[in-house]
Amino acid sequence: MHASPPNGGPRVKPEGTRVPDITFHTREAGAWKDITSQELFAGRKVIVFALPGAFTPTCSASHLPRYEELAGEFRKAGIDEIVCMSVNDCFVMEAWRENQNAKNVRLIPDGNGEFARAMGMLTDKSRLGFGDRSWRYSMLVVDGVIEKMFVEPDVDGDPYEVSDADTMLAYVAPGHRAAPDVVIFTRSGCGHCARAKKALEAASVRYREIEIASIGGIDAVRAMTGRDTVPQVFIGGTHIGSADELDKHLAQDAA
């Protein structure tokens, strides 16, 4: 089964074929370390998710944090490692790992885009000033062979619909249901943000709070939601909206 090519680009490497043979130039604990595809994948079950860039809004707010959060569930399902790849250099990826406090996901820099290109997943983001980047996707690799891929649809922008951790968990552990990922974007001193958090707490809903100053301010919120206000709430990857919209959503759930 072939996935859709990104933005009319080359054909995506199909399921049932081997991952590209690449040497990744990484930094771990402040030291240089070369890692090969053989070392990453041979004799192991590995989940890879690739994304457009470190420190970008969706990648920092949802994609990486949810895989980090569900790492224990993936281990129970027999997964040996979770790998995040991005066409960024090793210094950027190391800084992002520290910024995100990522302890359960291994961040691998595809600095020259060799892996993304060989996967058929390199896409041109020049209009944003990013140059060549990876299309967003996830895959399960078993002993170096691609068993399953979830590739985001070939539409404009940065779709985030199927490469998420919950979709992958449903594939590797059918029937398992993790608590939905609830994220609230806030700003210090915002009364409506405080009201939204109280509403979630009153409904016994666990959530992650992201102060927008840490991800680029209101511009990052606008990029994800098209809105210029906070709070903005996401539940299970679905944009719920403001404090008022959250109240309506919680009331519908309680009905």
Side-chain angles (χ1 to χ4, degrees):
M1 175 181 175
H2 290 279
S4 300
N7 289 342
R11 196 168 184 82
V12 175
K13 196 169 179 62
E15 295 168 358
T17 60
R18 300 196 67 82
V19 294
D21 186 12
I22 302 293
T23 296
F24 303 95
H25 307 294
T26 78
R27 284 180 66 82
E28 293 184 358
W32 289 98
K33 183 176 182 179
D34 280 359
I35 301 169
T36 66
S37 296
Q38 178 75 8
E39 291 171 309
L40 274 178
F41 300 113
R44 312 172 74 214
K45 288 186 176 182
V46 180
I47 289 170
V48 176
F49 65 100
L51 39 78
F55 292 102
T56 53
T58 300
C59 305
S60 293
S62 297
H63 210 172
L64 173 57
R66 186 59 167 171
Y67 273 101
E68 178 76 13
E69 180 182 353
L70 295 181
E73 303 302 324
F74 283 114
R75 282 193 291 270
K76 292 176 186 176
I79 301 302
D80 294 300
E81 189 164 39
I82 303 171
V83 172
C84 171
M85 285 193 187
S86 181
V87 183
N88 289 112
D89 68 63
C90 58
F91 291 98
V92 168
M93 291 295 274
E94 187 177 34
W96 193 38
R97 177 186 58 75
E98 294 174 357
N99 174 268
Q100 290 280 302
N101 194 30
K103 301 181 184 302
N104 301 309
V105 175
R106 189 175 195 177
L107 275 62
I108 297 290
D110 183 20
N112 295 321
E114 295 173 87
F115 191 87
R117 184 179 292 107
M119 286 291 300
M121 301 301 290
L122 200 65
T123 186
D124 184 5
K125 297 281 186 180
S126 296
R127 66 183 182 84
L128 299 176
F130 286 7
D132 289 337
R133 294 295 178 104
S134 176
W135 192 251
R136 199 183 293 276
Y137 69 96
S138 66
M139 63 180 175
L140 173 62
V141 181
V142 180
D143 193 21
V145 175
I146 302 166
E147 177 179 308
K148 181 66 178 178
M149 287 190 72
F150 294 99
V151 182
E152 294 298 340
D154 185 17
V155 297
D156 289 336
D158 179 23
Y160 177 53
E161 300 174 13
V162 297
S163 62
D164 58 286
D166 292 272
T167 297
M168 180 60 77
L169 184 61
Y171 175 76
V172 300
H176 179 83
R177 292 291 179 269
D181 186 29
V182 180
V183 182
I184 178 170
F185 293 89
T186 66
R187 181 174 52 214
S188 178
C190 166
H192 292 295
C193 299
R195 177 163 67 86
K197 289 190 289 183
K198 286 182 180 178
L200 289 169
E201 290 161 6
S204 299
V205 175
R206 294 180 59 187
Y207 62 86
R208 289 188 294 113
E209 179 180 6
I210 298 178
E211 163 61 55
I212 64 172
S214 69
I215 60 167
I218 203 66
D219 288 340
V221 174
R222 187 185 305 113
M224 290 184 287
T225 68
R227 300 188 184 183
D228 295 310
T229 60
V230 287
Q232 294 299 327
V233 180
F234 287 79
I235 298 179
T238 299
H239 180 219
I240 302 302
S242 66
D244 289 342
E245 289 163 319
L246 174 63
D247 285 341
K248 293 177 183 177
H249 177 84
L250 293 175
Q252 289 172 354
D253 278 356

